[in-house]
Amino acid sequence: MSETTTYTKKDFVSDQEVRWCPGCGDYSILSAVQTAMTQIGKKREDICFVSGIGCSSRFPYYMNTFGMHTIHGRAAAIASGLKIQNPNLSVWVATGDGDAMAIGGNHLIHALRRNVDINIIMFNNEIYGLTKGQYSPTTKRGVITKTTPYGVVDHPFVPASLALGCDATFFARAIDTDVKHLTSLVVEAANHKGTTFIEIFQNCVIFSDGIHEAYAGKATRDDNTIKVEHGKPMIFGKERNKGIILRGTRPEVVTIGENGITEKDLLVHDKTDDNMAYMLSRMKFPELPVALGIFRQVSAPSYEMDVEAQIAQVTSKKGAGNMKSLLHSGQTWNVG
Amino acid sequence: MKELENVVIRFSGDSGDGMQLTGTQFSTTSALMGNDMSTFPDYPSEIRAPQGTVAGVSGFQVCFGATEVNTPGDEPDVLVAMNPAALKANLADVKRGGTIIVNNDAFSPANLKKAGYESNPLDTNELDNYKVIRIDISNLTTEALKNLDLDLKAKGRCKNFCALGFTYYLFDRDMDSTIKWIESKFGKTPVLKEANILALKAGYNYGGNTLITTNRYQVPKAKIEKGKYRQMQGNAATAWGLMQAAEAAGLKLFLGSYPITPATEILQELAKFKEFGVKTFQAEDEIAGICSAIGASFGGALAATTTSGPGLALKTEAIGLGVIYEIPLVIVNVQRGGPSTGLPTKTEQADLLQSFYGRNGECPTVVVAASRPSDCFEMAYEAARLALEHMTPVILLTDGYIAQGAEPWKIPDIEKEFRPIKTRMVDRKLAPGEQFLSYQRDPKTLVRPWAIPGMAGYEHRIGGLEKSENFGNVSHDAKNHQRMVELRAEKIARVVDNIPDQEVFGDKSGDLLVVSWGGTYGATYSAVRELRKEGKRVSLMHMKYLNPMPKNVGKILKSYKKILVPELNMGQLQHLLREKFLIETIGYHKVQGQPLKITEVVGLINRELESL
């Protein structure tokens, strides 16, 4: 961007009253995203937030940018069309686990596959909130919800594994209340060329309160999650003394200083390594810490830029088209 | 040589026999020779149905004439049957006393069995009512190509050009344009070029050597409007019409679509025109097709989506979003036989009520329909014009019959006939502190302004939730909802001030008014014209603007003793006319996957006139 505009967080706060439940995890996500927008080097009028249906999908109303609140599950498809039409825009999708993984699953996987330069932020609270408490495609087996009074018998998606299966060029995971970490990931996503997908562990205080608490809670997160960073060894724990090594092809938790383990023995995160990204996506609590940060980031052509390139290439070869010559081209004949 | 006013010829063979190509060549030649014409391909939905079977028969019909031609013709005067299955599939359609040209070589016991014949129909009295010309087309072809270095199978594939050559002789056609076509098509493979030209000439010369001249026919040039013409197929015309509208509006065209028969060709056609800046997006499904178009429209494109019946059903919710957003969007529905998957390759007009009412909530939108292949250009432009000038989704209805049909088209003077389109795009900077009201309406048209991302100061949010009048903020207020529902309805109603008055062909009052819409025009117009020549007091009102209907429709309907509404559905326009004008009409409901025939409509009109 040639011109720089200095914004403060307030510039991205709209005049609409925020109507999420008190204590909802969405507030901290909104705050993190508004802060991140001041750091992405984009003019406010060149930013558009697109959402589907659900609590998370109220998001665009609260951002003082362009915004589209659309229909259930379709945000990724609508955002794709917008970005292809105008590649200069910074296009964001705010969505939830029901919106993106159930009704919108098809659009999500195809957006990730195509690598359109849109940024998808998925608020995962493992429940349908706006329809008041039905299980979603990420709800764990056995959980009692309004539609599963005897427990869920569906097997849930792991969003990270699904995204990686689509060859997503950017996947990251964060916790709603870790605003600083989340803000940095949003900025990283903005700078990535291609589809980005951030899964946020979001707490619904009404229908699935505490669902991520065991690993994402403020008291437990240091010991039960691991923030991965490219090129750095996988260390975690309150004391920063635990780490991940590979035994065979499986990750294992070790303690630095025990059994002769030093920092050098630990796995070093490589965000371009597909196997490592997938391994991170499969790490489940309590056997292993839950991974956070950027699992995978690779560079690949983005769809809309390839579209532009084709247009430029054909136009330079054929010259800009006009209807009059098209109508008179090919086989024509005169009568009279 | 006998002179004929018009001729209907159907080329028919196995779906791999190249009959579409043969038919196209015949029609192009006839157009270049100054005939008016109309064509229609008829092919099976299986790509390669079992060879030699009736299910695998592919046909191409062309009507060419020395007078105005408006349909591909009711019944073939001439059938070219490349195998027994082609004869079996088409015989019932051929005019009694018509000519049947058969590839005699293909009538082998094995092929007869595959076609379901117990004995060879060429040897029984089954074809007594027709003039049968038996030609060993396969042998004639291989014999003509005997000196070429090609295997027997490749030689056999040239037999369609041999058959074409014979019809060229029969109807005194000029071979030049086809030879030129072969030269450019096979320029890189000289042996194939030579083979096809030899086959064409072999067929032609066979005619010269075997037929006495009195058995040849001539169809003189038609007296049609002077000017420069080109061939136009319906789906291509739709694609070009959208491009014309984009140029006229100074916007880029975006098409979000998903392949579906018989609409796919529009996507394929538009994908070619990168140098026009056209962006085509082949989406993951029908819903993503329209949703991507909605995104592009919000971004400032002339956005469209193309589909057929089942796809329109899938797009329903998103059309509703377009209606409440009030953004420009063109939805093209190339109708086919339904319900469900129905008859994918056959024609029908049964999505009219779906277009009017097939959405949740009070959800009015503009509906227009094209009347013939070349008219798809004008109506696609019109659909886009109304979408952009009124900030609304517009549904354009065509159908499989006109979408795949082709006809000569007088190239329009686009500067005169297709005026620039003035969009509702905001074109001024906001004053300091001024708030942009995204749903503030033009008092006359009730149309809201269009501000797109990238415009500083115009940042606003739109959504599928009900919005407050003028401001566009979310509103659940009871009275506001009533007001907004009424405003959206009134906005569409006022489109009537921006469409032409309804035209009538014939007298402004009389005994009988035929009312038709969409792709049945060729048949209804031809029938009415024929009967008017006989002095019958019948007129035609053919409708292209369906919602809203032109202002004078009500008055027209009250000026005739009887109203006949023939449709390719169970009476959908009839239903709308009754609802809107409280009038009784006589319906004719044909749902056979086939178009209306001229003779069929003539019969209907005569029946109604007699019972007056």
Side-chain angles (χ1 to χ4, degrees):
Chain A
M1 201 180 104
S2 53
E3 233 179 296
T4 53
T5 317
T6 315
Y7 290 114
T8 64
K9 187 182 162 194
K10 236 177 77 188
D11 291 315
F12 290 98
V13 178
S14 82
D15 61 353
Q16 300 296 296
E17 183 196 347
V18 184
R19 291 196 185 177
W20 288 312
C21 307
C24 175
D26 290 0
Y27 285 95
S28 49
I29 301 174
L30 179 62
S31 173
V33 172
Q34 284 166 338
T35 304
M37 289 302 113
T38 66
Q39 300 168 24
I40 66 169
K42 269 291 190 194
K43 288 193 247 174
R44 193 168 63 181
E45 63 269 24
D46 291 332
I47 300 171
C48 186
F49 276 78
V50 184
S51 67
I53 296 293
C55 294
S56 61
S57 292
R58 290 291 181 111
F59 207 89
Y61 291 119
Y62 307 140
M63 293 296 298
N64 191 16
T65 60
F66 279 91
M68 300 176 88
H69 182 212
T70 74
I71 42 178
H72 205 11
R74 317 301 172 203
I78 289 174
S80 296
L82 176 62
K83 179 72 185 182
I84 296 163
Q85 155 62 16
N86 184 353
N88 182 47
L89 302 178
S90 177
V91 179
W92 297 80
V93 171
T95 183
D97 43 304
D99 192 52
M101 307 248 114
I103 192 166
N106 201 30
H107 310 307
L108 176 77
I109 60 175
H110 288 279
L112 293 170
R113 167 179 76 79
R114 284 190 194 104
N115 204 35
V116 186
D117 188 19
I118 58 174
N119 307 294
I120 301 165
I121 305 177
M122 189 184 83
F123 305 16
N124 183 6
N125 53 21
E126 301 185 8
I127 200 80
Y128 282 86
L130 198 63
T131 50
K132 301 187 170 49
Q134 302 77 26
Y135 77 104
S136 89
T138 57
T139 312
K140 304 283 192 307
R141 278 173 179 268
V143 174
I144 307 276
T145 72
K146 292 248 183 81
T147 46
T148 53
Y150 298 100
V152 170
V153 293
D154 281 33
H155 185 73
F157 272 138
V158 175
S161 303
L162 180 69
L164 294 169
C166 304
D167 251 354
T169 58
F170 182 107
F171 178 87
R173 194 191 270 156
I175 298 170
D176 54 1
T177 51
D178 190 348
V179 174
K180 198 175 150 202
H181 185 233
L182 176 56
T183 305
S184 73
L185 293 179
V186 172
V187 174
E188 292 282 351
N191 294 331
H192 177 78
K193 199 77 200 135
T195 313
T196 69
F197 186 23
I198 303 177
E199 177 193 11
I200 304 173
F201 291 144
Q202 186 265 10
N203 191 44
C204 170
V205 288
I206 309 295
F207 298 108
S208 61
D209 195 18
I211 199 84
H212 304 297
E213 189 64 19
Y215 41 90
K218 281 191 174 138
T220 55
R221 70 172 60 145
D222 288 346
D223 284 329
N224 297 340
T225 63
I226 178 166
K227 273 184 195 162
V228 296
E229 281 183 75
H230 182 67
K232 294 196 177 158
M234 294 189 188
I235 299 178
F236 69 106
K238 225 173 241 154
E239 315 292 332
R240 302 292 296 164
N241 65 341
K242 289 190 225 168
I244 304 287
I245 62 160
L246 262 196
R247 192 167 303 278
T249 58
R250 291 165 190 269
E252 192 178 298
V253 175
V254 292
T255 307
I256 301 166
E258 278 180 13
N259 303 320
I261 296 280
T262 69
E263 222 181 279
K264 281 188 181 153
D265 299 314
L266 303 181
L267 266 178
V268 174
H269 181 45
D270 178 355
K271 65 185 180 184
T272 67
D273 181 330
D274 294 348
N275 293 328
M276 194 171 284
Y278 192 69
M279 180 200 83
L280 293 172
S281 80
R282 307 309 295 177
M283 283 166 49
K284 283 177 192 151
F285 180 80
E287 294 78 19
L288 290 161
V290 172
L292 304 171
I294 301 170
F295 290 22
R296 182 175 201 243
Q297 185 177 15
V298 294
S299 106
S302 70
Y303 180 95
E304 77 288 349
M305 292 320 287
D306 279 0
V307 168
E308 295 295 327
Q310 273 190 356
I311 288 174
Q313 195 192 350
V314 176
T315 307
S316 78
K317 201 173 147 198
K318 294 187 173 174
N322 72 78
M323 286 311 293
K324 195 170 180 179
S325 21
L326 177 64
L327 290 174
H328 289 270
S329 68
Q331 202 157 38
T332 60
W333 66 94
N334 284 300
V335 171
Chain B
M1 226 183 278
K2 270 188 216 161
E3 202 171 286
L4 299 173
E5 190 174 292
N6 65 61
V7 173
V8 180
I9 177 165
R10 187 184 291 178
F11 296 92
S12 176
D14 213 53
S15 62
D17 279 346
M19 290 298 104
Q20 305 301 323
L21 172 61
T22 311
T24 308
Q25 281 302 315
F26 190 94
S27 34
T28 305
T29 292
S30 298
L32 291 174
M33 290 179 71
N35 293 126
D36 198 7
M37 46 147 292
S38 173
T39 69
F40 186 70
D42 186 21
Y43 52 83
S45 52
E46 295 86 357
I47 300 299
R48 288 283 184 274
Q51 214 178 4
T53 63
V54 172
V57 170
S58 166
F60 188 99
Q61 184 165 314
V62 48
C63 176
F64 61 108
T67 55
E68 200 181 326
V69 173
N70 293 294
T71 79
D74 286 358
E75 36 189 21
D77 300 300
V78 178
L79 172 71
V80 177
M82 297 301 281
N83 66 7
L87 178 66
K88 184 149 207 179
N90 294 293
L91 184 59
D93 295 344
V94 181
K95 190 181 264 178
R96 279 174 78 89
T99 301
I100 298 174
I101 301 164
V102 295
N103 177 11
N104 199 42
D105 293 324
F107 282 67
S108 64
N111 281 348
L112 288 163
K113 200 176 158 207
K114 274 192 237 170
Y117 277 118
E118 279 172 10
S119 52
N120 190 343
L122 303 178
D123 300 333
T124 65
N125 56 3
E126 202 181 328
L127 304 178
D128 284 358
N129 290 320
Y130 307 93
K131 276 179 246 156
V132 180
I133 303 175
R134 294 166 72 152
I135 311 175
D136 293 330
I137 297 176
S138 302
N139 276 331
L140 192 60
T141 307
T142 38
E143 186 61 25
L145 308 186
K146 67 180 175 202
N147 294 329
L148 292 185
D149 185 19
L150 269 179
D151 62 43
L152 210 57
K153 212 174 154 190
K155 285 179 183 170
R157 272 201 291 268
C158 299
K159 67 176 182 295
N160 59 329
F161 276 101
C162 183
L164 181 65
F166 182 77
T167 60
Y168 277 8
Y169 180 80
L170 190 62
F171 292 104
D172 195 22
R173 306 280 95 180
D174 199 338
M175 286 191 287
D176 284 359
S177 106
T178 296
I179 290 172
K180 269 188 207 148
W181 182 87
I182 294 171
E183 282 169 351
S184 78
K185 175 82 182 170
F186 299 107
K188 284 180 187 154
T189 347
V191 65
L192 287 181
K193 181 179 83 178
E194 203 185 337
N196 284 305
I197 293 174
L198 280 173
L200 179 76
K201 289 183 174 168
Y204 192 92
N205 294 336
Y206 179 84
N209 296 334
T210 56
L211 293 184
I212 43 172
T213 39
T214 48
N215 285 346
R216 280 179 92 189
Y217 303 96
Q218 232 178 6
V219 179
K221 283 185 180 186
K223 284 184 200 72
I224 47 181
E225 207 184 330
K226 282 182 187 176
K228 194 171 173 189
Y229 282 74
R230 67 175 302 121
Q231 275 273 76
M232 211 60 202
Q233 184 242 22
N235 273 338
T238 301
W240 288 23
L242 291 172
M243 287 166 64
Q244 176 63 46
E247 190 177 282
L251 299 175
K252 292 288 185 234
L253 178 61
F254 178 98
L255 178 73
S257 185
Y258 186 75
I260 183 169
T261 303
T264 314
E265 287 163 327
I266 305 171
L267 168 61
Q268 290 172 183
E269 181 71 10
L270 285 173
K272 293 178 194 166
F273 296 108
K274 307 288 176 220
E275 71 274 24
F276 284 74
V278 176
K279 290 176 180 172
T280 52
F281 178 64
Q282 184 177 320
E284 57 271 21
D285 56 30
E286 293 282 355
I287 296 170
I290 186 169
C291 283
S292 62
I294 288 173
S297 171
F298 187 66
L302 166 57
T305 187
T306 47
T307 192
S308 185
L312 187 70
L314 284 164
K315 292 180 198 298
T316 294
E317 188 194 13
I319 297 173
L321 184 68
V323 167
I324 199 166
Y325 274 177
E326 302 186 45
I327 52 162
L329 180 68
V330 177
I331 302 121
V332 181
N333 176 13
V334 185
Q335 298 167 98
R336 66 189 216 188
S340 187
T341 309
L343 303 169
T345 59
K346 307 292 177 193
T347 199
E348 205 160 279
Q349 301 184 292
D351 298 343
L352 181 61
L353 293 181
Q354 182 183 205
S355 303
F356 264 68
Y357 301 121
R359 291 170 291 282
N360 62 305
E362 295 293 344
C363 198
T365 191
V366 176
V367 182
V368 298
S371 61
R372 53 193 301 164
S374 61
D375 187 45
C376 291
F377 182 88
E378 183 184 326
M379 293 318 286
Y381 166 90
E382 278 293 271
R385 179 181 73 84
L386 295 174
L388 290 165
E389 292 180 350
H390 295 269
M391 294 290 284
T392 177
V394 175
I395 297 176
L396 166 63
L397 295 172
T398 73
D399 62 53
Y401 180 58
I402 59 171
Q404 294 166 61
E407 61 184 354
W409 179 48
K410 191 182 164 204
I411 301 170
D413 181 347
I414 50 176
E415 279 106 14
K416 278 190 196 146
E417 294 170 53
F418 295 92
R419 65 179 174 84
I421 296 169
K422 176 122 178 59
T423 72
R424 291 281 299 154
M425 194 85 78
V426 295
D427 53 4
R428 64 176 184 94
K429 275 219 151 82
L430 288 170
E434 185 186 353
Q435 191 193 355
F436 170 56
L437 299 181
S438 51
Y439 284 79
Q440 189 171 49
R441 293 165 194 281
D442 176 88
K444 201 171 143 223
T445 60
L446 301 181
V447 179
R448 78 177 189 92
W450 193 17
I452 62 171
M455 294 177 163
Y458 284 97
E459 294 87 351
H460 67 285
R461 275 68 55 192
I462 59 174
L465 288 167
E466 185 57 282
K467 42 189 62 52
S468 60
E469 194 181 349
N470 297 321
F471 294 92
N473 293 326
V474 176
S475 166
H476 292 98
D477 180 81
K479 284 190 173 150
N480 177 73
H481 178 53
Q482 174 106 28
R483 173 87 181 132
M484 290 299 278
V485 166
E486 287 168 1
L487 276 170
R488 285 189 290 265
E490 180 60 20
K491 183 184 90 161
I492 298 303
R494 289 191 191 181
V495 170
V496 79
D497 297 325
N498 198 11
I499 60 173
D501 271 355
Q502 177 64 48
E503 288 174 14
V504 171
F505 169 64
D507 303 319
K508 302 292 171 239
S509 62
D511 293 338
L512 181 67
L513 178 71
V514 177
V515 179
S516 55
W517 68 279
T520 52
Y521 173 74
T524 56
Y525 171 75
S526 302
V528 170
R529 189 182 59 159
E530 192 177 315
L531 290 170
R532 288 187 57 78
K533 274 189 197 157
E534 294 173 16
K536 304 273 170 69
R537 296 193 66 210
V538 56
S539 300
L540 173 71
M541 174 171 95
H542 186 82
M543 302 183 72
K544 302 208 292 180
Y545 296 85
L546 293 151
N547 195 40
M549 289 180 187
K551 280 178 186 158
N552 57 335
V553 167
K555 191 171 165 247
I556 294 170
L557 289 170
K558 291 183 175 79
S559 307
Y560 299 84
K561 287 183 193 157
K562 265 188 180 184
I563 292 162
L564 172 69
V565 190
E567 292 180 81
L568 301 178
N569 58 46
M570 295 303 286
Q572 298 194 8
L573 178 63
Q574 206 187 357
H575 172 93
L576 292 169
L577 295 177
R578 183 181 299 147
E579 176 194 87
K580 199 169 159 59
F581 301 106
L582 298 170
I583 53 155
E584 279 312 312
T585 57
I586 302 144
Y588 178 72
H589 311 145
K590 183 180 182 181
V591 279
Q592 300 171 5
Q594 297 297 325
L596 284 178
K597 290 180 175 178
I598 301 168
T599 46
E600 200 174 4
V601 182
V602 166
L604 284 172
I605 295 171
N606 279 333
R607 191 188 70 194
E608 292 309 325
L609 286 175
E610 277 158 25
S611 66
L612 260 172

